Amino acid sequence: MPSPSATAVRTAVAAVATAAVLLAAAGCSAFGDDAGPSVAVPRPTAEEAAVCRALDKELPATVAGLDRSDPEPDSELTAGWGDGAIVLRCGVPRPDRMSDPQAKGVEADGVNWLLEPREGTGPRFTSTYRQAYVEVSLDERYAHDASPLAAFAGPVKKAVPPSL
C-alpha cells in the first residue's frame, strides 16, 4: 500500500487542528465564561447618565429569586438578573408608544410603567414621569406577570427623580 504524500498528511493535520480550535472556541463562548447576554448600552445625556449611575448603586442583588448577572458589555447603564431573564437599561430614549393614548400602563409600588407586549418573548416596561427612562425587559416566563417590577420601585423612586 503506498504511503500518503506529505502534502496530504499536512492538509489532514491542518484540517483536524482547525476543527479542534473551532470546537474549543465554541465551547468557551457557550460555557466558558460567566458573562450574561449582550445588550445595547443606551446613550443618555450627561444628566440622565448621572441619574442612571445613582440607580445602578441602588439595584437589588436578586429579583424574583434570580441572582444579578449583568449583560455585556459591562456598563452602569445596564443590569441583568437570571442570565437575561430580566434586563434593565437606564437612559433609554422615550418610547414612541408613550404618545399613544391607547398604550397600556401598569403601576408597581408607586412607579408607573408603559407596557409594551413583544411577540415571541416577554414584555418590556419603561418608566414614565421620571428624569431618565428606565426600561425593564422580561423573558417569556413573565408574559403575564409584572411582579418583578416591584423590586425596582424603591430604587427608581430613590435614584430617578420625577419629571413632573
Side-chain angles (χ1 to χ4, degrees), residues 40-132:
V41 176
R43 295 179 173 213
T45 65
E47 295 82 16
E48 291 168 334
V51 167
C52 293
R53 284 191 297 278
L55 174 63
D56 185 60
K57 292 176 182 154
E58 299 297 326
L59 293 173
T62 60
V63 174
L66 302 173
D67 290 331
R68 187 160 174 177
S69 57
D70 290 346
E72 292 294 326
D74 187 39
S75 171
E76 292 177 317
L77 304 177
T78 61
W81 293 264
D83 291 327
I86 301 171
V87 175
L88 179 144
R89 297 186 325 133
C90 185
V92 298
R94 183 181 190 274
D96 292 338
R97 291 272 302 157
M98 279 194 186
S99 298
D100 181 353
Q102 301 300 315
K104 299 198 183 307
V106 298
E107 183 269 334
D109 292 341
V111 176
N112 294 309
W113 302 87
L114 167 72
L115 163 62
E116 294 179 276
R118 298 179 299 165
E119 202 62 38
T121 184
R124 177 173 50 221
F125 299 89
T126 306
S127 63
T128 62
Y129 309 117
R130 297 279 165 181
Q131 290 182 8

